[in-house]
Amino acid sequence: MLVLKFGGTSVGSIDAFAAVCKIVTDKVQQQSKTKRPGVVVVTSAMSGVTNMLIDAAQKSAKGNAATAKEAIATLRQKHMQVIDHFITNEADRQSLIDHLETKLSDLDRICGGIAVLGELTARGNDLVSGLGERINAPILAGVLRSQGITAQAVDAVEIVVTDSVFGGADPIMELTGHRSRAKLLPMLDRGVVPVVTGFVGATIDGVPTTLSRGGSDYSAGIIGTALEADEIQIWT
């Protein structure tokens, strides 16, 4: 069993997504011949997205509402380029567009709340900065499916349980291990490639957290440990 983590530059363009598909296809084929087959993908946000999100949140706190609107337009264009290029199945395409629009609406709502408060809390910053991975995982799973790989997105807020240290949370490994195995192992048994959001988790009460910048590597380590993976590979 392998855990493959793809960083922002590895999912930063159409060509990069195509390269990820080839890597995952090769690894799935290789793993199918092993005693304990299975591939789990952990993904970052697309290159530049997290910085854009944080900038929008910070400027919203200073009363600059236009920045969030500009970020939403840029994020829509950036992700739609990938969807338009790869996704030809109409049902899958519409599902991904609906997901994208829901997350962009969340961003608009959160930044609006930040602007009203005039303050960006650590909890609010986590809500915003983790949206890039939560947008990208379903898109990457859809791209993999378009290339013949059975893949399904998994939001790490469902499986990575953390403490409440917003901006740099640590996992509660017993709970995380239990949830990760319960969610991911049946998928692997069915030959599905889970595509898990890096960087993010949630408290026991379900409040989204982040694992600090660069946390997608940490996410891969957490998932790999929980599943007792044979190897964790960091692709950059």
Side-chain angles (χ1 to χ4, degrees):
M1 182 192 300
L2 297 180
V3 175
L4 311 177
K5 180 264 177 175
F6 294 97
T9 54
S10 296
V11 287
S13 66
I14 287 170
D15 288 344
F17 271 82
V20 169
C21 288
K22 185 178 186 309
I23 291 166
V24 174
T25 298
D26 290 345
K27 297 298 182 182
V28 168
Q29 290 175 349
Q30 292 170 14
Q31 283 296 298
S32 68
K33 302 171 186 176
T34 65
K35 292 181 179 179
R36 193 167 177 246
V39 171
V40 178
V41 170
V42 175
T43 185
S44 295
M46 290 184 73
S47 180
V49 165
T50 303
N51 286 338
M52 190 186 310
L53 290 166
I54 293 172
D55 182 63
Q58 290 174 341
K59 289 181 178 175
S60 293
K62 296 177 181 178
N64 186 348
T67 303
K69 301 296 185 184
E70 292 167 1
I72 287 167
T74 301
L75 290 167
R76 180 180 290 112
Q77 180 184 31
K78 189 178 184 74
H79 292 90
M80 280 304 303
Q81 285 178 343
V82 177
I83 293 171
D84 286 340
H85 183 83
F86 288 101
I87 310 301
T88 56
N89 178 280
E90 189 56 38
D92 215 5
R93 174 184 167 79
Q94 191 57 54
S95 176
L96 291 175
I97 292 172
D98 290 347
H99 170 78
L100 173 62
E101 292 300 330
T102 297
K103 292 304 180 188
L104 293 179
S105 294
D106 289 345
L107 174 61
D108 190 37
R109 174 180 52 80
I110 295 166
C111 284
I114 292 168
V116 169
L117 287 173
E119 177 186 5
L120 178 58
T121 64
R123 177 171 171 168
N125 193 63
D126 273 8
L127 278 173
V128 171
S129 61
L131 283 173
E133 281 77 8
R134 300 179 75 186
I135 290 171
N136 195 42
I139 293 175
L140 178 54
V143 171
L144 290 170
R145 287 193 298 273
S146 77
Q147 304 303 302
I149 301 165
T150 305
Q152 181 180 332
V154 176
D155 195 331
V157 300
E158 300 174 8
I159 59 174
V160 177
V161 186
T162 74
D163 59 26
S164 300
V165 181
F166 297 104
D170 281 323
I172 301 172
M173 283 304 298
E174 184 176 355
L175 289 173
T176 296
H178 175 74
R179 291 191 186 182
S180 296
R181 290 187 291 274
K183 179 75 173 182
L184 301 179
L185 289 179
M187 295 172 68
L188 293 168
D189 287 343
R190 298 195 307 270
V192 175
V193 175
V195 181
V196 184
T197 51
F199 183 45
V200 299
T203 66
I204 294 173
D205 297 327
V207 179
T209 57
T210 67
L211 305 172
S212 77
R213 294 304 298 270
S216 291
D217 287 356
Y218 194 8
S219 298
I222 292 166
I223 299 300
T225 298
L227 299 181
E228 297 182 343
D230 298 301
E231 191 170 299
I232 300 164
Q233 299 179 357
I234 309 296
W235 290 82
T236 64

